[in-house]
Amino acid sequence: MRTLVALGRLIRLCLHLLWGVVLIRLRFARLSTANRHVEVKRWSGQMLRILGVSLETSGTPRPGAKLIVANHVSWLDIAAVHAVVPEARFVSKADVRDWPVVGLMVDGVGTLFIERASKRDALRVVHQMAEALKNGDTVAVFPEGTTGPGPEPLGFHGNLLQAAISTDVPLQPLALRWSEPGMRFSTAAQFIGGTTLVQSLWAVLKARGLSVRVDVLMAMSTSHADRRALAEHVRDEIVLGMARH
């Protein structure tokens, strides 16, 4: 039975991804920035619903330029964040650009790509982020640098937070928690170890009652901050946010 449910979801997901490509290729150029955000929010929320994921949220993101900082569990985290903060421009590892269909879409919504292994490329991306923040954009990062198991975030790297410090733009922490019935932290949503994208997708498609909660926490100043201390502080706040529900 779960296999049939999964196959039905997969068909609907494929159609939804194709619609996303059409939206970006044919309509985005003609839309205002505000209307693009409306479409991103709608498309992301619909994607979660197609996959059987219920979305819970609390809090309101601050207006204007900000650096979103969130813990990272699943490749679906981006859709979850975009369903709440559709204006966010993510910093993503460069190989995502080569993913079929998905790469085209994330590129089309203004994603900034980084070669994780290159310190020089990290510096380039920090400069790009700073320019975007100066222009009033919202940029989003996962400072763990990779996905974790869920119950507790991995250590946060402070390098990319320098963009917010340099431009005196506040951080907007988000606490993401994936859960399933009877499980405080979902295993179906995990994308860790040697798990491939296909294996992870199938686990999500077969899951029953999968849920993601996105808590928008209080924004924090970056004025004169040390990036390493700031990374530790924002991680502590996200851990506390995850523990509240």
Side-chain angles (χ1 to χ4, degrees):
M1 182 62 181
R2 297 311 302 172
T3 299
L4 290 176
V5 170
L7 289 173
R9 288 174 175 173
L10 180 59
I11 292 169
R12 292 174 64 204
L13 176 63
C14 290
L15 293 173
H16 191 60
L17 290 173
L18 289 175
W19 165 240
V21 172
V22 171
L23 183 63
I24 288 172
R25 282 291 183 88
L26 302 181
R27 292 192 58 193
F28 252 41
R30 301 198 300 268
L31 296 176
S32 67
T33 299
N35 285 337
R36 287 186 184 188
H37 296 163
V38 168
E39 293 294 347
V40 168
K41 183 182 181 74
R42 180 184 297 143
W43 189 93
S44 299
Q46 182 63 21
M47 179 176 176
L48 294 175
R49 289 189 290 273
I50 286 171
L51 293 172
V53 177
S54 62
L55 173 67
E56 302 175 65
T57 67
S58 71
T60 303
R62 74 179 303 280
K66 55 191 171 291
L67 180 61
I68 300 262
V69 178
N71 57 304
H72 199 15
V73 177
S74 170
W75 50 273
L76 275 172
D77 289 341
I78 292 177
V81 173
H82 268 160
V84 178
V85 195
E87 67 269 28
R89 297 181 62 189
F90 275 90
V91 176
S92 178
K93 58 184 182 180
D95 57 353
V96 171
R97 183 186 274 156
D98 299 323
W99 288 6
V101 183
V102 174
L104 183 150
M105 294 177 60
V106 295
D107 195 18
V109 294
T111 299
L112 305 174
F113 294 98
I114 182 173
E115 295 285 352
R116 294 281 188 190
S118 170
K119 290 184 179 180
R120 180 176 297 179
D121 200 55
L123 183 60
R124 175 190 64 81
V125 172
V126 167
H127 286 310
Q128 278 192 327
M129 291 169 60
E131 283 301 312
L133 293 170
K134 285 179 186 177
N135 291 333
D137 290 351
T138 293
V139 180
V141 298
F142 297 117
E144 292 164 272
T146 186
T147 48
E152 186 171 336
L154 305 174
F156 278 16
H157 303 286
N159 292 348
L160 297 182
L161 304 191
Q162 186 62 46
I165 296 170
S166 300
T167 53
D168 200 17
V169 168
L171 298 190
Q172 179 76 77
L174 302 186
L176 277 61
R177 183 163 62 80
W178 291 85
S179 60
E180 296 176 67
M183 301 172 62
R184 181 167 171 77
F185 294 97
S186 168
T187 55
Q190 291 176 344
F191 187 36
I192 56 176
T195 305
T196 66
L197 180 60
V198 171
Q199 289 170 333
S200 178
L201 172 60
W202 190 245
V204 169
L205 289 169
K206 290 181 68 176
R208 188 194 304 269
L210 188 59
S211 174
V212 60
R213 183 176 182 90
V214 180
D215 290 305
V216 181
L217 308 180
M218 185 175 296
M220 57 181 65
S221 171
T222 62
S223 183
H224 307 296
D226 173 82
R227 68 189 186 195
R228 291 181 179 85
L230 185 62
E232 291 180 8
H233 178 52
V234 71
R235 181 186 180 278
D236 289 344
E237 290 300 307
I238 288 173
V239 169
L240 288 173
M242 293 170 65
R244 290 191 191 116
H245 299 280

